[in-house]
Amino acid sequence: MLEEIVEPLLSWYEKNKRELPWRTDPTPYHVWVSEIMLQQTRVEAVKGYYSRFLDQLPSIKDLAVCPQEKLLKLWEGLGYYNRVKNMQKAAIEIRDRYGGVIPKDYEKILALPGIGTYTAGAIASIAYQIPQPAVDGNVLRVFARLTEEPEDILKQKTKKKAEDVLRKIIPSEAPGDFNQSLIEVGAIVCVPNGPARCTICPVRDYCLAKAHDRVEEYPKKAPKKKRKIEERTILILQNGQEFAIHKRPSGGLLGGLYELPNCAGNLSREEALSYVEKLGLMPLHIADAGEAKHIFSHVEWRMKGYFIKVASTDEKKIGELIFVDKKETKGRYPIPSAFSAYRKYIEEDF
Ligand code: ADE
């Protein structure tokens, strides 16, 4: 009976939980911010972002009115920028419909933009003690091993099954701790990379995969589709003390963020120079700025950079390019990590 895992998990969690910033004062807003950040990003990396975000935007109302550029800047480096754009949409709805407080109702939380069953379950259970499960990849892995779940855990159906099973056993007196105990076991015991640490697992006696010595066979996952590879050429265009940046159109990959000018394909020096001329600039000197790659969820960029000095122009805007001073770029324009190999050229002294 899976119900038997409840007590050992809760006692283990009480003794072994990590001290994490979002566990000290788990208001609904704090839980929300941390859980959204923790999707796709490691705990250690999230800590700094979390405190800075809440320093700048201490309440849901602050989030609702934050200029998008500042918001993206606070998120810069975390990736998956739609997460924070949706948070702002939800914050506006929470302000307008619920007086700035996340409703104490699982279905209403779930109906907010960008909030799926995992985040809704985490907020409801951790902040409001509502007995709803919070099943993310970590919890699915633990569940799949405990029950020898034969289906692909990436299927919606499997997640739903895990939620339905856990909903039946979640203790109403400690739903938040129960969910976090599963998350914690998934993060530090029943780990995704490398061997599971079954000897220290509080629920090893209830684990079917362990009993059959098949822990490494779970969770079942269908092979991933290969990422599309795109070659891109990145241009660092220098005009005196200034460098060109470009705002990406809203919607689509990295929408609304700034980037270094770039184009599809692996351009030769000659092609890069004529591309720059077509932009309305006169190139004077070109040097290689090295190669880099960046992995998004569905695409991989293989980049080649050129550092190009252009003939001086007083215009701050040439077509869609904006020239900004080195001193200004840092701290002001949100530039995604995809460009991190090249952004040093426009932010630091060389
Ligand atoms: N990963 C996802 N949610 C988490 C949480 N609340 N604490 C630690 N790691 C997590």
Side-chain angles (χ1 to χ4, degrees):
M1 278 300 289
L2 200 64
E3 207 170 335
E4 289 173 314
I5 66 173
V6 174
E7 204 287 315
L9 276 173
L10 288 176
S11 326
W12 176 87
Y13 181 67
E14 190 49 41
K15 285 190 220 96
N16 295 284
K17 66 180 169 202
R18 290 168 294 175
E19 272 190 32
L20 298 171
W22 44 93
R23 290 188 176 157
T24 13
D25 182 18
T27 66
Y29 180 48
H30 292 173
V31 175
W32 181 29
V33 172
S34 64
E35 293 299 344
I36 298 290
M37 287 185 174
L38 285 160
Q39 289 164 26
Q40 327 278 353
T41 312
R42 287 173 309 106
V43 165
E44 281 313 309
V46 164
K47 287 180 181 171
Y49 281 97
Y50 175 80
S51 347
R52 191 180 59 159
F53 192 92
L54 290 177
D55 269 358
Q56 295 289 313
L57 307 172
S59 75
I60 292 180
K61 288 180 181 167
D62 298 316
L63 170 58
V65 298
C66 180
Q68 195 184 64
E69 216 139 281
K70 177 174 168 189
L71 197 59
L72 293 173
K73 191 74 199 165
L74 285 169
W75 209 262
E76 185 188 83
L78 277 173
Y80 302 90
Y81 293 85
N82 282 337
R83 292 185 290 171
V84 72
K85 292 183 200 165
N86 279 330
M87 278 187 84
Q88 185 164 52
K89 284 190 201 140
I92 293 169
E93 199 170 317
I94 295 164
R95 180 196 62 194
D96 296 347
R97 289 179 63 178
Y98 304 116
V101 182
I102 298 180
K104 199 172 177 174
D105 176 317
Y106 175 76
E107 294 299 331
K108 288 186 179 146
I109 301 174
L110 185 58
L112 292 164
I115 297 193
T117 54
Y118 169 72
T119 313
I123 299 172
S125 66
I126 301 171
Y128 288 136
Q129 307 303 318
I130 297 172
Q132 285 289 345
V135 176
D136 68 350
N138 280 326
V139 175
L140 267 174
R141 180 174 56 259
V142 178
F143 174 83
R145 288 174 174 166
L146 279 169
T147 63
E148 289 195 307
E149 170 55 52
E151 294 283 342
D152 178 354
I153 59 153
L154 298 176
K155 282 190 184 154
Q156 228 15 62
K157 207 173 79 190
T158 317
K159 183 173 169 192
K160 170 95 172 39
K161 182 167 160 191
E163 288 168 345
D164 290 344
V165 170
L166 292 171
R167 192 173 287 112
K168 291 205 183 87
I169 65 166
I170 189 166
S172 54
E173 69 287 359
D177 281 357
F178 176 71
N179 284 335
Q180 292 194 86
S181 71
L182 283 169
I183 293 171
E184 202 76 346
V185 166
I188 62 184
V189 179
C190 202
V191 290
N193 305 308
R197 304 167 67 201
C198 299
T199 51
I200 60 157
C201 180
V203 289
R204 62 182 177 275
D205 293 346
Y206 311 97
C207 182
L208 290 179
K210 168 79 181 142
H212 301 139
D213 202 13
R214 292 182 149 181
V215 173
E216 299 312 320
E217 288 175 37
Y218 295 92
K220 304 277 186 211
K221 276 187 200 173
K224 272 198 194 140
K225 282 208 198 97
K226 279 226 166 76
R227 277 193 195 91
K228 205 169 100 199
I229 300 208
E230 276 181 23
E231 298 198 319
R232 297 202 79 80
T233 302
I234 313 293
L235 303 169
I236 300 132
L237 302 178
Q238 180 179 14
N239 167 29
Q241 283 306 300
E242 297 180 336
F243 289 86
I245 56 172
H246 170 250
K247 188 168 183 171
R248 290 178 69 89
S250 56
L253 184 71
L254 307 174
L257 281 99
Y258 288 83
E259 63 184 355
L260 293 169
N262 64 88
C263 60
N266 181 345
L267 269 52
S268 66
R269 283 184 173 215
E270 291 69 31
E271 287 166 333
L273 291 171
S274 66
Y275 181 81
V276 171
E277 281 170 11
K278 284 203 200 95
L279 292 175
L281 293 160
M282 197 208 286
L284 299 177
H285 180 261
I286 182 165
D288 288 351
E291 294 182 356
K293 71 175 179 182
H294 187 80
I295 296 171
F296 296 95
S297 39
H298 303 299
V299 222
E300 175 175 330
W301 278 4
R302 299 252 168 100
M303 295 170 278
K304 179 156 100 180
Y306 290 112
F307 188 92
I308 300 175
K309 286 196 175 128
V310 297
S312 151
T313 155
D314 288 337
E315 303 286 330
K316 293 280 176 219
K317 253 185 139 260
I318 307 267
E320 287 197 347
L321 298 183
I322 321 166
F323 279 98
V324 290
D325 194 278
K326 228 179 207 182
K327 288 196 275 308
E328 258 183 86
T329 47
K330 208 167 188 167
R332 173 145 177 218
Y333 298 96
I335 300 176
S337 305
F339 297 95
S340 56
Y342 303 107
R343 60 185 295 173
K344 58 179 184 243
Y345 290 103
I346 66 163
E347 288 185 345
E348 292 161 20
D349 284 331
F350 261 75

